[in-house]
Amino acid sequence: MQNIRNIAVIAHVDHGKTTLVDGLLQQSGTFEAHKEVAERVMDSNDIEKERGITILSKNTAIRYNDYKINIIDTPGHADFGGEVERVLKMVDGVLLLVDAQEGVMPQTKFVLKKAISLGLRPIVVVNKIDKPAAEPERVVDEVFDLLVALEADETQLDFPVLYAAARDGYAKWNMDDDNKDLTPLFDAILEYVPAPEGSPDNTLQTQVFTLDYDNYVGRIGIARIFNGKVKAGEQVLLAKADGEQKKGRITKLIGFIGLERIEIDEAEAGDIVAIAGFNEIDVGDTITDPNDPQPLDPLHIEEPTLSVIFSVNDGPFAGREGKFVTANKLKERLEKEMQTNIAMRLEQMGEGSFKVSGRGELQISILAENMRREGFEFLISRPEVVIKEENGVRMEPYEHLVIDVPEEFSGSVIEKLGRRKAEMTSMNPMPDGTTRIEFEIPARGLIGFRTQFLTDTKGEGVMNHSFLAYRPFVGNVEHRANGALISMENGKALGYSLFNLQDRGILFIKPQTEVYVGMIIGEHARPNDLEVNPIKGKKLSNVRSSGADDAIVLVPPREMTLERAMEWIEDDELVEVTPENIRVRKRYLDPHVRKRMEKQKKA
């Protein structure tokens, strides 16, 4: 039996998980010395590299001395909480990374709570100790207080602590030790993470915890073997979560080492492998012996809390910029996403429109961004929360919101959140001069808040939130206070007319941008919508006017990113997403139809 250790690296977003895994991969000798390796090598997706966040949990394996250490790098953002939860069932220990300056953050609480409830003992790594405002001792106290609050047992409270700077590739037991390498961390993993339970001689029990897809072999289940041995080519039984059982053959068995996936002949209890051969394989399914089936308990997957409608682009510019514009292509792509992303749901709403539900705006906007890069063109509606009914009571999702703001802005932020039905639960001064305020807020109240928050705090505020629970529905929540500037003409916007319009509000477009009737070109300074003409040129006559040739000075337009646009729009507006542009428009482009619909809504 080989010596195996299974660990997950958990932390708040941007506390250095992926950088630490990089260091472990390189210092364990998993990469040959001459091999060129990219920075944050585990972030394989383009968007992950650009944003510096982990979106998909990924696993790798390293060899250290005579041990094989399976490491799972988990996402740190609340929207991907579904991934973290499943992953923790597959490991025997966790490395909890905490930033030496920021300390315990919402995601730290969220993932640690899951780990504690599963009985895992954390190895605490205080990372980024080289920061000028680092306070490692305070952070260790915060972690201890958090574990007490989460009702950890005595073994879990007696956690080992290491101090590290993952970027520089060192970890140490005491702050006074020399900065050498990550050996203390390797030793801690071998000492404090228990060996996997289960035996190769027992009946086969393997559970799938995440999915992958390959164009040649179809769906691949990445699974942990809890008992027994798995062999390539052998007949097994797939026990699904709903009780259905199917016999089949393992066509491919794949093992992990470093970033490589290698075909292997067999693997035994304790290891993590990828299995191909079943098209119906799903998360939580058990692969077991057909002669003596022993299925494991299915995994609980958290329900989606937010939904948007993806629909075919029916605007005047439809089909100009995208490669895939039809309802069939859109449906195919969304169904493909559902094959590997089990935290999402898909529902057909009618001809050419599909309801996609997920764990948050970021998760949905990343799907939309990936599709845009692949050449798709489509419309997205305003995000809406998923409402449930329990015993005749309407329930809506609530979030735990933590914000760090400079002291002078805290008053206005508290006031704005109060209008969005938020309740403040705590307020503490932080060592770096900011104030940390915690709230419980309906998820609806957070839609569209981020942009306003960044404006109010002059870009210095930091906000993080994670799902709390479903609670009874509270009344109306304040939405966007300002109306929209809507184009009343088709054509190219001119600098002259934009110069005259910029007093009316904030513009989203620059000169020479093509516009159409019903397209939103800016945010009005007042609460009502205003129809404007952005293509009106200057009338030239042979009579000179005074001050005629004053230079036109335009304020730079507000860049509309996909997330910002999704947050900004109201119920009667849509975001038009194409590979080249992100536009905002009214649902009904014709002004007469728009007015008629408004009257009907009021009636």
Side-chain angles (χ1 to χ4, degrees):
M1 174 138 182
Q2 50 180 343
N3 291 322
I4 294 176
R5 296 289 184 271
N6 295 321
I7 58 162
V9 186
I10 59 174
H12 184 80
V13 64
D14 206 23
H15 279 195
K17 294 179 297 300
T18 307
T19 311
L20 184 75
V21 175
D22 273 10
L24 292 171
L25 278 165
Q26 286 183 314
Q27 292 191 25
S28 63
T30 305
F31 296 142
E32 294 86 358
H34 62 270
K35 196 167 176 183
E36 282 288 316
V37 180
E39 188 187 354
R40 294 202 325 274
V41 67
M42 293 291 280
D43 284 347
S44 52
N45 172 320
D46 283 348
I47 297 180
E48 291 183 315
K49 286 194 164 75
E50 284 164 27
R51 301 186 184 205
I53 59 171
T54 302
I55 294 167
L56 308 162
S57 61
K58 301 178 203 62
N59 45 307
T60 181
I62 57 177
R63 296 236 176 253
Y64 183 72
N65 297 344
D66 299 332
Y67 289 84
K68 179 182 183 186
I69 304 174
N70 287 312
I71 304 175
I72 304 179
D73 181 15
T74 63
H77 201 285
D79 289 12
F80 310 106
E83 295 259 335
V84 179
E85 231 174 317
R86 303 193 306 271
V87 160
L88 294 179
K89 292 253 173 77
M90 301 299 141
V91 296
D92 305 301
V94 292
L95 285 188
L96 173 70
L97 246 75
V98 192
D99 185 300
Q101 181 181 333
E102 290 183 5
V104 170
M105 295 290 276
Q107 265 335 93
T108 322
K109 292 181 186 172
F110 177 77
V111 286
L112 193 58
K113 184 175 168 188
K114 307 281 180 204
I116 294 302
S117 63
L118 293 168
L120 301 173
R121 181 186 186 186
I123 296 174
V124 175
V125 181
V126 180
N127 194 23
K128 305 192 183 184
I129 54 170
D130 50 341
K131 276 189 172 181
E135 290 187 299
E137 303 307 321
R138 169 182 67 85
V139 171
V140 173
D141 291 344
E142 278 183 18
V143 174
F144 184 81
D145 293 345
L146 175 61
L147 284 167
V148 171
L150 295 175
E151 297 173 1
D153 61 29
E154 282 182 18
T155 325
Q156 290 170 326
L157 286 173
D158 184 21
F159 53 84
V161 179
L162 289 108
Y163 303 95
R167 195 185 55 187
D168 301 332
Y170 65 81
K172 50 192 182 179
W173 288 107
N174 297 301
M175 286 296 287
D176 313 333
D177 297 353
D178 293 338
N179 305 339
K180 286 185 181 163
D181 53 18
L182 292 172
T183 307
L185 186 54
F186 284 114
D187 295 343
I189 292 170
L190 302 186
E191 187 179 339
Y192 293 103
V193 177
E197 291 174 3
S199 156
D201 307 326
N202 294 349
T203 302
L204 173 64
Q205 285 180 307
T206 299
Q207 191 163 36
V208 177
F209 65 92
T210 184
L211 298 174
D212 205 342
Y213 191 81
D214 183 280
N215 289 335
Y216 298 105
V217 295
R219 279 180 109 159
I220 296 172
I222 296 173
R224 169 162 171 184
I225 309 165
F226 284 94
N227 272 306
K229 286 185 179 174
V230 181
K231 294 191 176 98
E234 79 171 324
Q235 286 285 337
V236 289
L237 181 81
L238 180 71
K240 298 197 64 66
D242 58 7
E244 190 188 344
Q245 298 190 336
K246 290 189 173 175
K247 285 189 179 174
R249 199 169 64 83
I250 294 176
T251 53
K252 262 193 180 167
L253 187 63
I254 302 159
F256 298 93
I257 190 77
L259 303 177
E260 310 286 320
R261 292 186 173 194
I262 317 150
E263 276 201 54
I264 52 175
D265 296 326
E266 76 165 22
E268 57 184 40
D271 213 347
I272 291 176
V273 291
I275 292 169
F278 295 91
N279 263 339
E280 307 81 21
I281 201 163
D282 222 326
V283 167
D285 293 354
T286 306
I287 291 169
T288 181
D289 187 339
N291 305 320
D292 178 18
Q294 293 186 11
L296 293 158
D297 293 339
L299 298 177
H300 161 69
I301 293 154
E302 284 204 349
E303 292 297 306
T305 56
L306 201 75
S307 65
V308 302
I309 308 273
F310 280 70
S311 54
V312 171
N313 186 6
D314 58 2
F317 297 169
R320 274 200 201 177
E321 296 165 5
K323 247 194 319 192
F324 309 112
V325 292
T326 61
N328 287 349
K329 287 284 181 196
L330 193 60
K331 184 180 180 188
E332 234 172 72
R333 175 63 180 86
L334 291 171
E335 282 175 344
K336 184 184 167 195
E337 184 69 23
M338 300 306 135
Q339 287 184 331
T340 54
N341 192 337
I342 61 145
M344 281 185 153
R345 305 271 182 281
L346 177 67
E347 236 179 290
Q348 182 141 7
M349 298 301 288
E351 191 57 46
S353 68
F354 308 90
K355 186 180 194 174
V356 175
S357 308
R359 296 280 300 146
E361 281 173 77
L362 181 67
Q363 191 184 28
I364 292 168
S365 70
I366 279 171
L367 165 61
E369 180 62 35
N370 278 326
M371 288 170 64
R372 175 172 108 89
R373 292 178 183 205
E374 289 160 22
F376 284 85
E377 194 176 294
F378 49 92
L379 299 172
I380 297 184
S381 70
R382 175 185 165 85
E384 287 180 1
V385 297
V386 176
I387 305 287
K388 280 183 183 177
E389 272 217 13
E390 284 179 22
N391 309 326
V393 180
R394 288 178 79 200
M395 308 288 273
E396 66 172 325
Y398 265 70
E399 301 270 328
H400 173 219
L401 170 69
V402 178
I403 60 172
D404 291 351
V405 286
E407 211 166 306
E408 65 266 29
F409 304 127
S410 56
S412 71
V413 170
I414 292 168
E415 183 204 343
K416 295 263 168 74
L417 283 167
R419 290 190 213 148
R420 290 170 174 264
K421 302 279 194 286
E423 285 180 25
M424 187 163 79
T425 54
S426 81
M427 184 172 180
N428 296 305
M430 297 297 286
D432 57 357
T434 59
T435 306
R436 178 167 292 177
I437 318 171
E438 302 194 19
F439 297 89
E440 291 179 359
I441 182 170
R444 283 180 303 145
L446 282 173
I447 297 173
F449 176 65
R450 189 178 291 273
T451 313
Q452 188 185 13
F453 171 73
L454 289 173
T455 311
D456 288 348
T457 60
K458 301 201 164 109
E460 290 182 46
V462 179
M463 64 181 264
N464 291 286
H465 52 90
S466 60
F467 175 70
L468 195 60
Y470 266 87
R471 291 184 183 171
F473 189 86
V474 288
N476 285 337
V477 167
E478 185 189 79
H479 283 320
R480 191 177 83 211
N482 297 15
L485 296 174
I486 308 161
S487 171
M488 59 202 294
E489 297 286 349
N490 298 319
K492 280 191 178 171
L494 296 176
Y496 175 75
S497 53
L498 294 184
F499 175 67
N500 292 325
L501 287 175
Q502 61 187 11
D503 295 340
R504 297 298 184 112
I506 298 163
L507 295 177
F508 300 161
I509 61 168
K510 48 183 190 273
Q512 297 304 304
T513 304
E514 281 202 74
V515 297
Y516 52 80
V517 175
M519 178 171 151
I520 295 173
I521 63 156
E523 182 179 298
H524 192 194
R526 297 192 174 174
N528 62 312
D529 288 348
L530 183 69
E531 294 199 24
V532 295
N533 181 356
I535 67 165
K536 187 174 152 197
K538 186 181 179 189
K539 290 278 179 285
L540 295 176
S541 72
N542 53 5
V543 179
R544 288 183 68 177
S545 57
S546 61
D549 298 318
D550 289 347
I552 287 177
V553 181
L554 288 174
V555 178
R558 181 190 285 174
E559 280 278 324
M560 267 307 191
T561 60
L562 187 55
E563 269 146 44
R564 192 182 253 184
M566 275 170 67
E567 281 197 337
W568 186 83
I569 58 173
E570 286 295 341
D571 295 337
D572 65 335
E573 294 160 357
L574 298 167
V575 182
E576 182 181 327
V577 183
T578 76
E580 290 171 29
N581 289 296
I582 288 164
R583 302 183 184 94
V584 190
R585 52 164 275 193
K586 284 289 180 186
R587 190 180 290 272
Y588 304 105
L589 298 176
D590 186 320
H592 303 300
V593 177
R594 222 168 27 241
K595 283 183 183 122
R596 194 164 68 239
M597 288 298 177
E598 263 175 47
K599 275 182 190 164
Q600 282 181 10
K601 195 176 169 187
K602 281 176 185 165

